[in-house]
Amino acid sequence: MADVLGNFEQAVLLSVLRLGEDAYGRAIFNEVQARLDRDVAAGAVHATLNRLEGKRLLTSTLGPGTEVRAGRPRRYYKLSSPGARALHEARAAVNNLWRGFRGPLKGRV
Amino acid sequence: MTSAMPPRWAEILLHLVLDSKDQATVSGDLLEEFRDSIRPTRGPSAANGWYIRQVIGFVVRSNVVPALLFGGAFVARTAMDWLWPPANFHTRSLISTLVAVSILLVSGFFASWKSGSILAGGLSGLTTTALAAIMSTVSVLALLAIWHDAPTLQAIEDSGGLSEVFFLPLMSIVPGVLFGATGGVAGTAVHWSMRRSS
């Protein structure tokens, strides 16, 4: 079984997946905020990226800097095979929770 | 595009709490967001405020574990003195002092080992003790709300009184910086010797 992912970890991994070749720190930070529809701390995203890389769910490479970054390099992230497996299992777990439920939620939330 | 820079001191703090391999990339990410998005939409002072808040988030996050250990040790010692007062405080004081110093030395070591700067050790000591002071003050107030019977109040008086309980965490901030920096000296030495050998 792959790693069990928390919600924030899933948001970060999905952002990396969605951004594809453009998945570097700032872009992931903005994508996570847009998807979660709230402000998040850059430190939280950075810590999660480091943790996911430590678990080998992500890999990273350095890219060149740009003028707006004062020439500082970008770190690009890519989903690894274990990362893709962990995301797939997280989605399957949620689908499993909802399977067969047909009752209306309207009026209960 | 703007060439504006965030507060210099905040950039220095950010570098101190980051792993040396992340310093350029993470500070570049924040600078890009600051220049491209935050400053044009919110204005200079709100953008500086945004940058400082992000840096504080990094600083707190990097010291939350030693702060929990330090504050937890202080609260545990306080609770023991109140609920199981000893005849002689010497042994407890010795043990709790050694625990506190060890936490500060180790957190200072790792902070400097990561960043490659002695200052990171001092900053780690400062943040650890400041966060622990907040945490222990809140926890001690909670203890007091639970246990305020006559024998406990007498035990509090015998162990140095309430003033000591509230001021000791604040008084530990300056020694905290010194012990953190001491651990930082060793951490910096290891960082640079490892870099040289690799």
Side-chain angles (χ1 to χ4, degrees):
Chain A
M1 197 180 115
D3 285 86
V4 176
L5 298 172
N7 277 346
F8 199 74
E9 288 178 326
Q10 286 183 54
V12 171
L13 283 177
L14 276 169
S15 298
V16 171
L17 197 60
R18 281 199 172 98
L19 289 163
E21 300 288 303
D22 298 322
Y24 71 98
R26 181 206 173 194
I28 298 167
F29 171 60
N30 285 330
E31 180 73 16
V32 168
Q33 292 195 115
R35 293 289 165 179
L36 294 178
D37 197 21
R38 63 178 165 92
D39 282 345
V40 299
V45 175
H46 169 69
T48 306
L49 285 168
N50 263 353
R51 188 169 60 250
L52 293 171
E53 196 176 6
K55 290 179 179 177
R56 303 191 188 290
L57 304 182
L58 289 174
T59 58
S60 76
T61 48
L62 287 181
T66 57
E67 200 187 333
V68 73
R69 298 168 64 89
R72 297 169 194 176
R74 285 174 173 172
R75 185 176 292 282
Y76 287 91
Y77 292 88
K78 217 172 149 182
L79 204 65
S80 66
S81 304
R85 201 159 48 242
L87 258 185
H88 175 77
E89 287 190 8
R91 182 161 74 173
V94 173
N95 288 344
N96 202 29
L97 281 175
W98 284 93
R99 187 172 304 131
F101 183 79
R102 300 208 186 281
L105 286 176
K106 215 172 169 185
R108 296 181 191 219
V109 288
Chain B
M1 197 195 80
T2 167
S3 59
M5 290 298 287
R8 180 83 188 115
W9 62 267
E11 280 217 301
I12 292 170
L13 275 188
L14 179 66
H15 275 74
L16 289 178
V17 296
L18 287 171
D19 194 308
S20 55
K21 77 174 174 54
D22 294 327
Q23 286 167 349
T25 52
V26 173
S27 66
D29 287 333
L30 285 187
L31 182 62
E32 190 178 335
E33 181 72 2
F34 174 86
R35 284 177 169 177
D36 250 7
S37 170
I38 306 293
R39 206 168 189 272
T41 53
R42 301 188 197 177
S45 39
N48 284 349
W50 174 86
Y51 193 92
I52 291 165
R53 278 197 304 281
Q54 299 302 323
V55 171
I56 289 171
F58 276 93
V59 172
V60 169
R61 206 170 293 277
S62 68
N63 288 291
V64 77
V65 172
L68 283 172
L69 290 173
F70 192 93
F74 181 83
V75 173
R77 164 75 201 279
T78 303
M80 281 175 71
D81 285 354
W82 290 8
L83 302 175
W84 302 285
N88 181 342
F89 286 95
H90 180 260
T91 310
R92 277 190 190 176
S93 297
L94 184 66
I95 292 171
S96 51
T97 303
L98 285 175
V99 168
V101 169
S102 304
I103 291 168
L104 293 168
L105 287 172
V106 171
S107 71
F109 174 88
F110 280 110
S112 291
W113 175 61
K114 258 185 358 177
S115 74
S117 165
I118 294 171
L119 289 176
L123 176 65
S124 166
L126 173 71
T127 316
T128 297
T129 45
L131 290 173
I134 296 167
M135 181 190 140
S136 58
T137 301
V138 173
S139 304
V140 164
L141 285 171
L143 288 180
L144 204 55
I146 299 167
W147 291 292
H148 49 268
D149 52 293
T152 307
L153 292 175
Q154 186 57 52
I156 293 170
E157 274 310 306
D158 295 343
S159 68
L162 272 180
S163 57
E164 186 181 295
V165 171
F166 290 115
F167 283 109
L168 202 60
L170 294 174
M171 285 165 58
S172 67
I173 290 177
V174 173
V177 174
L178 296 175
F179 284 118
T182 306
V185 172
T188 309
V190 172
H191 175 93
W192 290 108
S193 67
M194 282 173 73
R195 274 187 80 137
R196 249 196 305 276
S197 63
S198 66

